[in-house]
Amino acid sequence: MTLPKRPDIDEYFLKIASVVAERSTCRRHHMGAIAVRDKHILTTGYNGAPAGAKDCLELGCLRDELGIESGTRQEICRAIHAEQNVIIQAGLHGVSLEGSTVYCTHTPCVLCAKMLVNAKIARFVSFGKYNDDRFIEIFREAGIEVGIKERPPAEITFLD
């Protein structure tokens, strides 16, 4: 009997971020993020409308209606980004993200990158690419390590 391969720690947390992304209410991208320190999940976040507000699943995508390309004009969107929700949840629950690793299904937009720098994260790991590469220089200047990994398998393996 061959045992399934045990995922390494980055694959493990990227897989969890992928499950978090399933809660997204965005019609364009389902994005999920988790903040981790010492192999302990601190907070999670996915992209979607502010709490209590109508979302794109209900109202339709304003960016699609206006023909706005991905990676541009982020302010014309109902959604709060997954990384922003990770930071907001940390603030609401009194959790510092300093020194943490943020695992996210996509690389960050420039606005999220600046927020993550100010949250003092140490590392950012992703498998998907967002249409905005300006985060690279921002993270380099701040000394944030970046890891781009393979997309983890979608299936979950169980031993019977």
Side-chain angles (χ1 to χ4, degrees):
M1 172 176 162
T2 304
L3 294 176
K5 175 191 157 286
R6 183 175 187 232
D8 69 24
I9 202 70
D10 286 341
E11 182 179 328
Y12 170 71
F13 285 122
L14 283 172
K15 204 172 216 182
I16 293 170
S18 298
V19 172
V20 171
E22 290 183 325
R23 291 280 303 150
S24 171
T25 59
C26 178
R27 289 176 176 245
R28 284 185 169 200
H29 300 288
H30 282 185
M31 296 186 184
I34 62 172
V36 174
R37 189 173 40 245
D38 299 326
K39 298 182 183 177
H40 176 76
I41 297 172
L42 304 172
T43 61
T44 67
Y46 53 86
N47 58 329
K54 292 183 180 182
D55 58 47
C56 295
L57 296 178
E58 185 176 351
L59 298 174
C61 177
L62 184 58
R63 293 172 59 81
D64 280 347
E65 291 168 17
L66 297 175
I68 297 171
E69 290 183 46
S70 182
T72 64
R73 306 288 316 271
Q74 289 96 342
E75 75 279 6
I76 302 178
C77 181
R78 290 182 184 92
I80 297 169
H81 291 185
E83 305 94 321
Q84 293 169 349
N85 273 323
V86 159
I87 294 167
I88 291 165
Q89 288 301 310
L92 286 172
H93 299 287
V95 175
S96 171
L97 298 182
E98 187 170 357
S100 68
T101 297
V102 170
Y103 291 90
C104 192
T105 57
H106 294 71
T107 54
C109 72
V110 68
L111 297 173
C112 287
K114 291 187 278 188
M115 292 173 73
L116 291 166
V117 167
N118 276 7
K120 299 182 185 270
I121 70 164
R123 187 167 178 249
F124 186 91
V125 181
S126 182
F127 62 81
K129 186 175 178 325
Y130 184 62
N131 291 335
D132 185 349
D133 285 335
R134 293 177 287 171
F135 79 94
I136 295 168
E137 182 61 21
I138 292 168
F139 280 3
R140 188 191 65 72
E141 286 182 23
I144 295 172
E145 179 188 339
V146 175
I148 305 299
K149 306 292 183 173
E150 293 292 319
R151 180 184 207 116
E155 60 277 344
I156 296 173
T157 55
F158 296 97
L159 293 179
D160 292 331

